[in-house]
Amino acid sequence: MSAARFHETVMDCLSELKSDSHKVQEKALQTLSFITKASPPNRSLLAQTDGAISTLIDLSKSLSSIIETLSLSILFNLSLNPDLKRSLAEMETIYLLNSIIQSPSSQESSKLASSLICSLAMLDKNKAKFGAAATIQLLVKSVSKPSGPATHHLLSSLAELVHFHGNCTLAVQSGAVSVLLQLVSSTDGEDLAGTSLAILNLLARFDVGLNALRGTDQIVSSMVDVLKGRCMFSKEGAAEILLRLFDESEGCMRDALRLPDFSTVLDDLQLRGSVKAREKASQLMKKMMEANFDTHIDGNSMFYRW
Protein backbone atom coordinates (compact mmCIF):
# COMPACT_ATOMS: atom_id res chain seq x y z
CA MET A 1 0.00 0.00 0.00
CA SER A 2 1.45 3.37 -1.02
CA ALA A 3 1.83 6.15 1.54
CA ALA A 4 -0.87 8.20 -0.21
CA ARG A 5 -3.29 5.27 -0.26
CA PHE A 6 -2.52 4.46 3.38
CA HIS A 7 -3.15 8.07 4.43
CA GLU A 8 -6.47 8.04 2.61
CA THR A 9 -7.47 4.79 4.31
CA VAL A 10 -6.49 6.11 7.74
CA MET A 11 -8.43 9.34 7.27
CA ASP A 12 -11.49 7.37 6.16
CA CYS A 13 -11.21 5.14 9.23
CA LEU A 14 -10.78 8.07 11.61
CA SER A 15 -13.86 9.66 10.12
CA GLU A 16 -15.82 6.45 10.60
CA LEU A 17 -14.66 6.23 14.21
CA LYS A 18 -16.70 9.35 14.91
CA SER A 19 -19.86 7.55 13.84
CA ASP A 20 -22.58 6.79 16.37
CA SER A 21 -22.81 3.27 14.97
CA HIS A 22 -20.73 0.65 16.76
CA LYS A 23 -20.81 -1.47 13.61
CA VAL A 24 -19.19 1.32 11.59
CA GLN A 25 -16.63 1.94 14.34
CA GLU A 26 -15.88 -1.77 14.63
CA LYS A 27 -15.23 -2.10 10.90
CA ALA A 28 -12.89 0.90 10.91
CA LEU A 29 -10.99 -0.43 13.92
CA GLN A 30 -10.63 -3.84 12.31
CA THR A 31 -9.09 -2.18 9.27
CA LEU A 32 -6.62 -0.19 11.40
CA SER A 33 -5.75 -3.29 13.40
CA PHE A 34 -5.06 -5.26 10.24
CA ILE A 35 -2.83 -2.65 8.60
CA THR A 36 -0.75 -2.06 11.76
CA LYS A 37 -0.41 -5.66 12.89
CA ALA A 38 2.73 -6.54 10.93
CA SER A 39 3.94 -3.27 9.42
CA PRO A 40 6.23 -0.95 11.44
CA PRO A 41 6.01 1.77 8.75
CA ASN A 42 2.22 1.69 8.88
CA ARG A 43 2.33 2.03 12.67
CA SER A 44 4.54 5.10 12.41
CA LEU A 45 2.31 6.67 9.78
CA LEU A 46 -0.81 6.10 11.87
CA ALA A 47 0.86 7.50 14.99
CA GLN A 48 1.86 10.60 13.05
CA THR A 49 -1.71 11.22 11.88
CA ASP A 50 -3.25 14.09 13.82
CA GLY A 51 -5.79 12.88 16.37
CA ALA A 52 -5.28 9.16 15.76
CA ILE A 53 -3.80 8.18 19.12
CA SER A 54 -6.13 10.36 21.17
CA THR A 55 -9.12 8.88 19.32
CA LEU A 56 -7.93 5.33 20.04
CA ILE A 57 -7.42 6.15 23.71
CA ASP A 58 -10.92 7.59 23.94
CA LEU A 59 -12.39 4.51 22.29
CA SER A 60 -10.50 2.31 24.76
CA LYS A 61 -12.91 3.71 27.35
CA SER A 62 -15.94 2.51 25.36
CA LEU A 63 -18.66 0.56 27.12
CA SER A 64 -18.63 -1.79 24.14
CA SER A 65 -16.13 -4.57 24.88
CA ILE A 66 -15.51 -5.09 21.15
CA ILE A 67 -14.67 -1.42 20.56
CA GLU A 68 -12.54 -1.37 23.69
CA THR A 69 -10.49 -4.45 22.80
CA LEU A 70 -10.00 -3.45 19.17
CA SER A 71 -8.75 -0.01 20.24
CA LEU A 72 -6.38 -1.56 22.77
CA SER A 73 -5.09 -4.01 20.16
CA ILE A 74 -4.21 -1.14 17.81
CA LEU A 75 -2.44 0.76 20.59
CA PHE A 76 -0.53 -2.43 21.37
CA ASN A 77 0.46 -2.75 17.71
CA LEU A 78 1.76 0.82 17.77
CA SER A 79 3.75 0.15 20.95
CA LEU A 80 5.77 -2.53 19.17
CA ASN A 81 7.68 0.24 17.39
CA PRO A 82 10.53 1.24 19.75
CA ASP A 83 10.34 4.89 18.68
CA LEU A 84 6.66 5.11 19.70
CA LYS A 85 6.93 3.66 23.22
CA ARG A 86 7.83 6.94 24.89
CA SER A 87 5.09 9.04 23.32
CA LEU A 88 2.46 6.40 24.03
CA ALA A 89 3.34 6.20 27.72
CA GLU A 90 1.56 9.37 28.78
CA MET A 91 0.27 9.34 32.35
CA GLU A 92 -3.30 9.57 31.10
CA THR A 93 -2.78 6.37 29.13
CA ILE A 94 -1.11 4.63 32.06
CA TYR A 95 -4.00 5.51 34.38
CA LEU A 96 -6.43 4.20 31.77
CA LEU A 97 -4.56 0.89 31.59
CA ASN A 98 -4.57 0.71 35.39
CA SER A 99 -8.33 1.18 35.47
CA ILE A 100 -8.85 -1.57 32.89
CA ILE A 101 -6.75 -4.02 34.90
CA GLN A 102 -8.52 -3.06 38.11
CA SER A 103 -12.00 -3.47 36.64
CA PRO A 104 -11.75 -5.30 33.30
CA SER A 105 -14.82 -5.62 31.13
CA SER A 106 -13.47 -8.95 29.87
CA GLN A 107 -10.45 -11.23 30.15
CA GLU A 108 -9.38 -10.08 26.69
CA SER A 109 -9.28 -6.42 27.72
CA SER A 110 -7.23 -7.34 30.79
CA LYS A 111 -4.77 -9.31 28.65
CA LEU A 112 -4.43 -6.47 26.15
CA ALA A 113 -4.00 -3.81 28.82
CA SER A 114 -1.31 -5.80 30.63
CA SER A 115 0.41 -6.63 27.33
CA LEU A 116 0.47 -2.94 26.45
CA ILE A 117 1.98 -2.13 29.86
CA CYS A 118 4.65 -4.78 29.28
CA SER A 119 5.45 -3.44 25.82
CA LEU A 120 5.68 0.19 26.96
CA ALA A 121 7.79 -0.80 29.99
CA MET A 122 10.43 -2.29 27.73
CA LEU A 123 11.66 1.27 27.31
CA ASP A 124 13.61 1.83 30.52
CA LYS A 125 12.61 5.50 30.71
CA ASN A 126 8.97 4.44 31.00
CA LYS A 127 9.45 2.09 33.96
CA ALA A 128 9.49 4.84 36.60
CA LYS A 129 6.26 6.30 35.22
CA PHE A 130 4.41 3.07 35.97
CA GLY A 131 5.89 3.06 39.46
CA ALA A 132 4.64 6.62 40.04
CA ALA A 133 1.18 5.63 38.78
CA ALA A 134 0.88 2.77 41.34
CA THR A 135 0.82 0.15 38.57
CA ILE A 136 3.15 -2.14 40.54
CA GLN A 137 0.82 -2.37 43.52
CA LEU A 138 -2.12 -2.95 41.21
CA LEU A 139 -0.38 -5.80 39.38
CA VAL A 140 0.61 -7.50 42.65
CA LYS A 141 -2.97 -7.26 43.88
CA SER A 142 -4.30 -8.60 40.57
CA VAL A 143 -2.07 -11.69 40.49
CA SER A 144 -2.98 -12.46 44.11
CA LYS A 145 -6.54 -13.19 42.98
CA PRO A 146 -7.58 -16.63 41.66
CA SER A 147 -5.71 -17.34 38.43
CA GLY A 148 -7.39 -16.65 35.12
CA PRO A 149 -6.50 -16.34 31.42
CA ALA A 150 -4.92 -12.91 32.01
CA THR A 151 -2.69 -13.92 34.94
CA HIS A 152 0.32 -14.80 32.80
CA HIS A 153 0.09 -11.45 31.00
CA LEU A 154 -0.10 -9.62 34.33
CA LEU A 155 2.98 -11.49 35.58
CA SER A 156 4.89 -10.65 32.40
CA SER A 157 4.15 -6.96 32.94
CA LEU A 158 5.33 -7.18 36.55
CA ALA A 159 8.49 -8.99 35.44
CA GLU A 160 9.37 -6.22 33.01
CA LEU A 161 8.67 -3.42 35.49
CA VAL A 162 10.74 -4.80 38.40
CA HIS A 163 13.93 -4.54 36.40
CA PHE A 164 13.89 -0.99 37.79
CA HIS A 165 15.15 -0.81 41.38
CA GLY A 166 12.42 1.56 42.57
CA ASN A 167 9.71 -0.69 41.21
CA CYS A 168 11.32 -3.69 42.89
CA THR A 169 11.03 -1.92 46.24
CA LEU A 170 7.38 -1.08 45.57
CA ALA A 171 6.67 -4.70 44.64
CA VAL A 172 8.25 -6.08 47.82
CA GLN A 173 6.44 -3.51 49.97
CA SER A 174 3.19 -4.59 48.30
CA GLY A 175 3.69 -8.21 49.37
CA ALA A 176 4.91 -9.54 46.03
CA VAL A 177 7.20 -12.18 47.55
CA SER A 178 4.43 -14.03 49.39
CA VAL A 179 2.03 -13.66 46.45
CA LEU A 180 4.56 -15.07 44.00
CA LEU A 181 5.50 -17.94 46.31
CA GLN A 182 1.83 -18.88 46.49
CA LEU A 183 1.75 -19.07 42.70
CA VAL A 184 4.90 -21.20 42.74
CA SER A 185 3.28 -23.71 45.10
CA SER A 186 -0.08 -23.74 43.34
CA THR A 187 -1.15 -26.25 40.69
CA ASP A 188 -2.59 -23.62 38.33
CA GLY A 189 0.11 -24.08 35.72
CA GLU A 190 3.83 -24.55 35.24
CA ASP A 191 4.10 -21.35 33.21
CA LEU A 192 2.77 -19.30 36.14
CA ALA A 193 5.16 -20.99 38.57
CA GLY A 194 8.14 -20.51 36.26
CA THR A 195 7.37 -16.85 35.61
CA SER A 196 6.81 -16.23 39.32
CA LEU A 197 10.23 -17.71 40.11
CA ALA A 198 11.79 -15.55 37.41
CA ILE A 199 10.27 -12.45 39.04
CA LEU A 200 11.48 -13.57 42.47
CA ASN A 201 14.99 -13.78 41.05
CA LEU A 202 14.65 -10.25 39.68
CA LEU A 203 13.54 -9.05 43.12
CA ALA A 204 16.44 -10.90 44.76
CA ARG A 205 18.99 -8.86 42.81
CA PHE A 206 18.39 -6.09 45.32
CA ASP A 207 18.73 -6.28 49.11
CA VAL A 208 15.08 -5.48 49.71
CA GLY A 209 13.99 -8.51 47.68
CA LEU A 210 16.66 -10.88 48.95
CA ASN A 211 15.94 -9.96 52.57
CA ALA A 212 12.24 -10.61 52.02
CA LEU A 213 13.04 -14.07 50.67
CA ARG A 214 15.41 -14.83 53.55
CA GLY A 215 12.72 -13.82 56.00
CA THR A 216 10.17 -16.21 54.52
CA ASP A 217 9.43 -19.34 56.53
CA GLN A 218 10.55 -22.58 54.89
CA ILE A 219 11.94 -20.76 51.86
CA VAL A 220 14.74 -23.30 51.37
CA SER A 221 12.49 -26.35 51.56
CA SER A 222 10.01 -24.62 49.22
CA MET A 223 12.72 -24.16 46.59
CA VAL A 224 13.94 -27.73 47.04
CA ASP A 225 10.37 -28.95 46.50
CA VAL A 226 10.44 -27.10 43.16
CA LEU A 227 13.69 -28.88 42.27
CA LYS A 228 12.00 -32.20 42.97
CA GLY A 229 8.86 -31.92 40.94
CA ARG A 230 8.26 -28.89 38.74
CA CYS A 231 9.10 -28.11 35.12
CA MET A 232 12.68 -27.41 34.08
CA PHE A 233 12.14 -23.66 33.77
CA SER A 234 10.91 -23.61 37.37
CA LYS A 235 13.83 -25.74 38.52
CA GLU A 236 16.26 -23.28 36.93
CA GLY A 237 14.61 -20.42 38.79
CA ALA A 238 14.57 -22.25 42.12
CA ALA A 239 18.25 -23.21 41.81
CA GLU A 240 19.15 -19.59 41.09
CA ILE A 241 17.26 -18.43 44.18
CA LEU A 242 19.05 -21.01 46.34
CA LEU A 243 22.40 -19.75 45.04
CA ARG A 244 21.49 -16.20 45.99
CA LEU A 245 20.33 -17.34 49.44
CA PHE A 246 23.45 -19.40 50.07
CA ASP A 247 25.68 -16.47 49.10
CA GLU A 248 24.05 -14.29 51.75
CA SER A 249 23.03 -16.69 54.50
CA GLU A 250 24.86 -19.53 56.19
CA GLY A 251 21.60 -20.36 57.89
CA CYS A 252 19.94 -21.07 54.55
CA MET A 253 22.75 -23.43 53.62
CA ARG A 254 22.37 -25.25 56.92
CA ASP A 255 18.63 -25.51 56.31
CA ALA A 256 19.30 -27.14 52.95
CA LEU A 257 21.73 -29.69 54.37
CA ARG A 258 19.24 -30.68 57.01
CA LEU A 259 17.01 -31.94 54.21
CA PRO A 260 17.86 -35.65 53.85
CA ASP A 261 17.40 -35.76 50.06
CA PHE A 262 19.00 -32.45 49.09
CA SER A 263 22.20 -33.94 47.67
CA THR A 264 20.19 -36.56 45.80
CA VAL A 265 18.06 -33.85 44.24
CA LEU A 266 21.18 -31.98 43.11
CA ASP A 267 22.71 -35.16 41.70
CA ASP A 268 19.58 -35.83 39.69
CA LEU A 269 19.50 -32.26 38.40
CA GLN A 270 23.13 -32.51 37.28
CA LEU A 271 22.32 -35.67 35.35
CA ARG A 272 18.92 -34.90 33.87
CA GLY A 273 18.58 -31.13 33.95
CA SER A 274 18.85 -28.57 31.17
CA VAL A 275 22.21 -26.97 30.50
CA LYS A 276 21.34 -24.05 32.78
CA ALA A 277 19.90 -26.30 35.49
CA ARG A 278 23.00 -28.54 35.45
CA GLU A 279 25.20 -25.47 35.76
CA LYS A 280 23.24 -24.15 38.76
CA ALA A 281 23.18 -27.58 40.41
CA SER A 282 26.95 -27.86 40.01
CA GLN A 283 27.42 -24.45 41.59
CA LEU A 284 25.20 -25.42 44.51
CA MET A 285 27.10 -28.67 45.01
CA LYS A 286 30.42 -26.81 44.89
CA LYS A 287 29.25 -24.41 47.58
CA MET A 288 28.33 -27.32 49.81
CA MET A 289 31.67 -29.01 49.29
CA GLU A 290 33.64 -25.83 49.90
CA ALA A 291 31.80 -25.05 53.11
CA ASN A 292 33.76 -26.27 56.11
CA PHE A 293 31.01 -28.26 57.83
CA ASP A 294 31.57 -30.62 60.74
CA THR A 295 28.46 -32.75 60.51
CA HIS A 296 26.76 -34.72 63.23
CA ILE A 297 23.72 -36.81 62.52
CA ASP A 298 21.01 -37.49 65.10
CA GLY A 299 18.21 -39.57 63.59
CA ASN A 300 16.81 -37.65 60.64
CA SER A 301 18.24 -34.33 61.81
CA MET A 302 21.64 -32.98 60.89
CA PHE A 303 23.50 -30.36 62.93
CA TYR A 304 26.49 -28.37 61.73
CA ARG A 305 29.39 -26.78 63.56
CA TRP A 306 31.26 -24.10 61.66
Side-chain angles (χ1 to χ4, degrees), residues 95-109:
Y95 286 129
L96 169 63
L97 297 176
N98 283 358
S99 68
I100 293 172
I101 288 175
Q102 188 170 21
S103 302
S105 62
S106 65
Q107 287 292 337
E108 188 63 25
S109 66

Side-chain angles (χ1 to χ4, degrees), residues 277-304:
R278 292 199 302 270
E279 176 188 351
K280 300 301 179 185
S282 296
Q283 291 174 1
L284 286 168
M285 189 68 77
K286 183 179 179 181
K287 284 183 180 295
M288 308 308 253
M289 294 176 66
E290 289 177 348
N292 184 24
F293 286 109
D294 184 6
T295 307
H296 300 274
I297 302 178
D298 180 11
N300 290 328
S301 299
M302 301 175 71
F303 302 89
Y304 304 90

Side-chain angles (χ1 to χ4, degrees), residues 256-273:
L257 288 174
R258 288 190 182 99
L259 300 173
D261 54 352
F262 183 59
S263 60
T264 303
V265 170
L266 291 183
D267 285 340
D268 183 71
L269 200 57
Q270 288 186 96
L271 289 173
R272 298 180 177 84

Side-chain angles (χ1 to χ4, degrees), residues 1-128:
M1 182 183 296
S2 67
R5 175 58 181 156
F6 178 83
H7 181 72
E8 181 182 348
T9 300
V10 167
M11 296 309 296
D12 288 343
C13 288
L14 290 177
S15 177
E16 291 170 352
L17 292 180
K18 297 176 182 178
S19 170
D20 293 331
S21 168
H22 280 177
K23 288 294 184 182
V24 174
Q25 290 180 328
E26 182 181 338
K27 182 180 179 182
L29 288 169
Q30 288 174 338
T31 298
L32 291 176
S33 179
F34 176 77
I35 62 180
T36 58
K37 188 172 184 178
S39 174
N42 284 355
R43 296 172 195 149
S44 294
L45 288 170
L46 176 59
Q48 292 165 12
T49 303
D50 187 41
I53 291 178
S54 60
T55 298
L56 291 169
I57 290 172
D58 286 342
L59 289 173
S60 297
K61 306 171 187 176
S62 174
L63 296 178
S64 165
S65 61
I66 296 177
I67 300 300
E68 178 193 36
T69 54
L70 282 170
S71 301
L72 287 170
S73 70
I74 297 167
L75 289 170
F76 174 73
N77 290 346
L78 297 182
S79 76
L80 298 177
N81 278 24
D83 60 323
L84 297 179
K85 293 183 187 294
R86 187 169 186 176
S87 61
L88 286 169
E90 296 290 343
M91 293 305 291
E92 177 188 359
T93 306
I94 292 174
Y95 286 129
L96 169 63
L97 297 176
N98 283 358
S99 68
I100 293 172
I101 288 175
Q102 188 170 21
S103 302
S105 62
S106 65
Q107 287 292 337
E108 188 63 25
S109 66
S110 181
K111 288 193 289 185
L112 284 167
S114 53
S115 295
L116 182 50
I117 289 173
C118 186
S119 178
L120 295 176
M122 289 178 182
L123 180 66
D124 287 342
K125 291 182 178 179
N126 286 342
K127 287 181 169 63

